[in-house]
Amino acid sequence: GQNIDQPTEMTATEGAIVQINCTYQTSGFNGLFWYQQHAGEAPTFLSYNVLDGLEEKGRFSSFLSRSKGYSYLLLKELQMKDSASYLCAVMDSNYQLIWGAGTKLIIKP
Amino acid sequence: GAVVSQHPSRVICKSGTSVKIECRSLDFQATTMFWYRQFPKQSLMLMATSNEGSKATYEQGVEKDKFLINHASLTLSTLTVTSAHPEDSSFYICSARDLSSENQPQHFGDGTRLSIL
């Protein structure tokens, strides 16, 4: 079957760095997405990785290893507004998104 | 950049009412759109895949006669919740596949919060 695993909840301190891991097993692979979702709002696109390696975008970076079925989202210089759920999703061979349950990130002052 | 417009953003109505939600791709053609539902503190759940000019593909457990999907053009898909009841109250989100984009092949609407009294 298809499966996306990510931690349910993480806590970090303002100004620190946090890494949210995601492992996946899917029928085919056409890329991995990370989305940010604040409560009551639609997901906001953060990153898309289709090749192995690290993609950096400001304070956020995303890493992919296709051979290991593994990705992480790295958030630097954490701000209170980064408190949200972070969703990992893989696009399978049918171009459908398979979603993880999301990681709720709590930022403490 | 590419944008998906979803309307309305919020609906409050009485039990038994039918509600239509529109999802439009504003600057790209979307042959495929997706409809999701999200209950509080839960993950997104795919309800159906909407293909332009053909019948939608529904996920297991989703009633196709209750959640009517129409994808009549390359830029518009609609979801109609027929005879809505309180248990249908949820956050409904559409997304559209953008085959012309290498960096972001799927775009989300802002969602519709449906509350059935």
Side-chain angles (χ1 to χ4, degrees):
Chain A
Q2 309 207 92
N3 196 47
I4 311 284
D5 284 317
Q6 55 181 126
T8 304
E9 187 174 296
M10 299 182 71
T11 302
T13 305
E14 189 177 16
I17 298 173
V18 71
Q19 177 174 312
I20 303 174
N21 295 324
C22 172
T23 57
Y24 63 89
Q25 290 178 309
T26 57
S27 303
F29 180 83
N30 279 302
L32 185 144
F33 296 77
W34 283 97
Y35 286 87
Q36 180 190 62
Q37 187 178 25
H38 286 99
E41 298 180 11
T44 303
F45 172 79
L46 292 177
S47 67
Y48 172 61
N49 294 65
V50 67
L51 299 176
D52 289 349
L54 185 68
E55 297 270 349
E56 296 187 73
K57 275 188 188 179
R59 295 190 298 114
F60 293 2
S61 302
S62 56
F63 171 83
L64 174 67
S65 168
R66 288 172 296 171
S67 62
K68 295 182 180 179
Y70 168 70
S71 172
Y72 68 72
L73 179 70
L74 190 71
L75 292 77
K76 302 176 184 177
E77 300 170 17
L78 286 170
Q79 302 174 10
M80 297 303 292
K81 66 178 183 179
D82 297 329
S83 292
S85 287
Y86 290 85
L87 309 175
C88 172
V90 172
M91 188 174 281
D92 68 9
S93 56
N94 294 319
Y95 292 92
Q96 282 200 357
L97 282 179
I98 311 300
W99 291 89
T103 299
K104 182 179 180 180
L105 178 63
I106 300 169
I107 310 296
K108 295 186 175 180
Chain B
V3 176
V4 169
S5 173
Q6 185 174 342
H7 178 81
S9 59
R10 185 170 182 112
V11 179
I12 302 173
C13 57
K14 294 181 179 179
S15 184
T17 306
S18 291
V19 178
K20 180 186 281 189
I21 304 170
E22 293 188 349
C23 183
R24 293 180 185 273
S25 57
L26 296 185
D27 57 359
F28 66 98
Q29 292 183 333
T31 55
T32 304
M33 292 186 177
F34 302 93
W35 287 97
Y36 294 89
R37 180 168 52 184
Q38 187 176 36
F39 292 105
K41 298 184 180 180
Q42 295 187 21
S43 186
L44 290 166
M45 287 176 46
L46 180 65
M47 298 175 66
T49 301
S50 169
N51 298 297
E52 186 267 335
S54 64
K55 291 183 179 180
T57 303
Y58 289 82
E59 295 299 302
Q60 194 172 8
V62 178
E63 299 175 57
K64 62 180 181 181
D65 294 330
K66 181 167 183 65
F67 298 99
L68 301 178
I69 291 172
N70 184 283
H71 194 157
S73 78
L74 287 171
T75 58
L76 175 64
S77 175
T78 61
L79 168 69
T80 301
V81 184
T82 61
S83 187
H85 288 93
E87 59 265 29
D88 298 322
S89 298
S90 187
F91 191 46
Y92 292 85
I93 309 171
C94 73
S95 70
R97 184 188 301 169
D98 181 4
L99 296 176
S100 67
S101 173
E102 292 183 355
N103 296 322
Q104 191 178 347
Q106 194 159 134
H107 305 279
F108 281 88
D110 288 336
T112 298
R113 185 160 300 284
L114 177 62
S115 300
I116 308 298
L117 305 177

